[in-house]
Amino acid sequence: MSASTVPDLPGDSELVESYLGGDQGSAAELVRRHSAAMGRFLYSAGAAPDDVDDLVQESLFRAFRALGGWRRTASFRSWLFSIAGNLLRDEFRRRKGRQVIALEDREIPDRADPHGELAASDMEERVRAGVSRLPRLQREVFLLRAHEGAGYDEIAAALGTTPGAARVHYHHAVKRLKELVR
Amino acid sequence: MTACERLSDRIPEVVRGRSRWTPEESAHLAGCPNCRAEWDLLVAVDRVAARAPAPRDPSALAATVLRRVADHRRSRLGSLGRWTVGVAAAAGIAAAVWTGVNRGNPASDPVAVAATVDIALPELEPMETAELDSLLEAMEAIPSPAPAGWSALGEPTLGDLDADELEQVLGTWEG
Ligand SMILES: [Zn+2]
């Protein structure tokens, strides 16, 4: 069997330990594994496309200088998402409450469009704007579940809440957002 | 748990292609506008994610991040160096003043006092990343407000000394 001849890839925890022991290559592998997902998370959460790269880089910088903060009760990726979420919240605040996503620059079609049709991209943009306007915990719980399929225990560990509260946040988010796709 | 709640729990994994609907679930989805709207929402979110800007080359990104972490660590070590020199200086000043009052006590030798608190920077060099990080984190955990004699930046200050004590310190420094 080929499976027995292919060595298992090291897990994130092993890579972190290896990096902390001085192996820079392990850090590069962690970046390779997670940076694209972080970009999708940040973009979906409302980061402007031009800002995504910088936000991913800053999130990774914050993560790598504080790796001791990863408690391993949540996955490394969920922990990275929580750091990226904090950064995005700071960015929202820095822009004095104005969402990073520039909805005012777009012509959002009237939902009561006589043709009864919305272009998929318009609906997606509407959803993205809706996600960016959710309260922070709702937004992060929703995206961790929608993007990563994370369970509520995992989400709770990553975001410092309880599984029950995470479930409630998710359902609140879904309730608000699904109005946008009806 | 209702049928809608059960379906809701399954939507993320089906949208992401990790699982498929059972015939019962498909029938529920076809007849339940609420679940259908949730499904459409998660499909839209999945499409949004697919439209995210293409990621930067991970190798270049990793190199940039690691360079920034190294720069950050270096600058914090620089602060640590200034901090330890500051500790030594402050201890020296305090001891010099104290010896001015208590002449003849060998334990108050400022050099000896300074030597007990100074950490030679070269000793930090062979530390592993984890050891350095925990040391630096410990340094950052110094309680605020700082003890008397320390400025907010952690640098020693002469502000606690009166004019006579300052004269004595200056005299010590100038020989
Ligand atoms: Zn239903």
Side-chain angles (χ1 to χ4, degrees):
Chain A
M1 290 287 286
S2 61
S4 63
T5 60
V6 177
D8 284 342
L9 291 173
D12 289 347
S13 193
E14 290 167 83
L15 289 171
V16 166
E17 289 308 319
S18 177
Y19 166 71
L20 289 173
D23 175 25
Q24 305 263 301
S26 298
E29 173 60 17
L30 287 165
V31 170
R32 192 193 62 72
R33 279 185 192 179
H34 300 295
S35 56
M38 292 171 75
R40 290 193 295 271
F41 171 83
L42 285 159
Y43 176 73
S44 301
D50 289 348
D51 293 340
V52 168
D53 266 351
D54 288 346
L55 290 168
V56 168
Q57 188 202 116
E58 181 64 25
S59 302
L60 286 167
F61 167 65
R62 290 184 184 192
F64 275 96
R65 76 178 200 212
L67 277 177
W70 178 38
R71 300 290 173 218
R72 290 165 173 77
T73 46
S75 71
F76 187 64
R77 181 173 290 185
S78 296
W79 181 67
L80 290 176
F81 279 19
S82 72
I83 292 171
N86 280 335
L87 183 63
L88 192 62
R89 179 203 56 198
D90 293 347
E91 190 69 8
F92 284 163
R93 281 183 185 158
R94 198 176 64 75
R95 297 183 186 210
K96 296 185 172 66
R98 197 166 60 80
Q99 301 298 325
V100 178
I101 187 169
L103 269 187
E104 60 275 24
D105 297 340
R106 291 181 53 84
E107 269 298 311
I108 301 288
D110 188 341
R111 287 180 56 214
D113 170 20
H115 301 293
E117 290 179 1
L118 285 174
S121 63
D122 287 324
M123 197 247 276
E124 287 156 24
E125 197 60 19
R126 195 186 283 281
V127 167
R128 195 165 84 92
V131 170
S132 80
R133 290 189 176 120
L134 290 173
R136 182 200 152 207
L137 256 178
Q138 278 185 33
R139 179 171 61 239
E140 293 178 15
V141 168
F142 176 75
L143 288 177
L144 270 168
R145 183 136 180 80
H147 277 194
E148 299 297 313
Y152 294 114
D153 286 349
E154 159 83 16
I155 293 170
L159 301 181
T161 183
T162 64
R167 181 182 280 276
V168 171
H169 283 307
Y170 179 78
H171 285 290
H172 276 306
V174 166
K175 192 175 173 198
R176 291 169 85 150
L177 293 171
K178 72 184 175 187
E179 296 304 319
L180 303 173
V181 296
R182 280 190 198 276
Chain B
M1 198 181 252
T2 66
C4 290
E5 286 167 345
R6 277 197 300 276
L7 199 95
S8 171
D9 276 359
R10 293 256 298 131
I11 287 177
E13 58 188 290
V14 178
V15 166
R16 296 168 65 244
R18 302 288 171 94
S19 181
R20 308 182 83 159
W21 293 129
T22 64
E24 295 75 24
E25 288 169 337
S26 292
H28 178 95
L29 198 60
C32 178
N34 248 334
C35 286
R36 188 78 213 174
E38 186 168 336
W39 167 259
D40 289 344
L41 168 64
L42 275 276
V43 168
V45 168
D46 202 49
R47 289 198 184 125
V48 167
R51 292 212 332 257
R56 236 174 101 187
D57 168 40
S59 303
L61 176 59
T64 305
V65 168
L66 293 180
R67 190 174 56 246
R68 286 188 62 196
V69 170
D71 288 348
H72 176 74
R73 188 168 290 130
R74 209 170 293 120
S75 90
R76 285 167 82 200
L77 282 174
S79 304
L80 175 59
R82 286 193 298 280
W83 190 88
T84 54
V85 168
V87 169
I93 290 164
V97 171
W98 199 79
T99 49
V101 181
N102 303 277
R103 294 248 179 242
N105 182 349
S108 60
D109 176 359
V111 176
V113 174
T116 63
V117 292
D118 198 8
I119 303 169
L121 276 183
E123 289 173 14
L124 299 169
E125 291 299 325
M127 283 184 164
E128 285 189 345
T129 310
E131 294 170 318
L132 272 175
D133 282 346
S134 55
L135 174 62
L136 290 167
E137 276 164 25
M139 300 303 294
E140 287 192 341
I142 291 166
S144 182
W150 296 85
S151 73
L153 293 173
E155 301 288 354
T157 170
L158 300 176
D160 280 3
L161 305 180
D162 64 26
D164 288 343
E165 290 167 338
L166 274 172
E167 284 294 319
Q168 287 183 10
V169 171
L170 289 171
T172 306
W173 284 355
E174 289 163 2

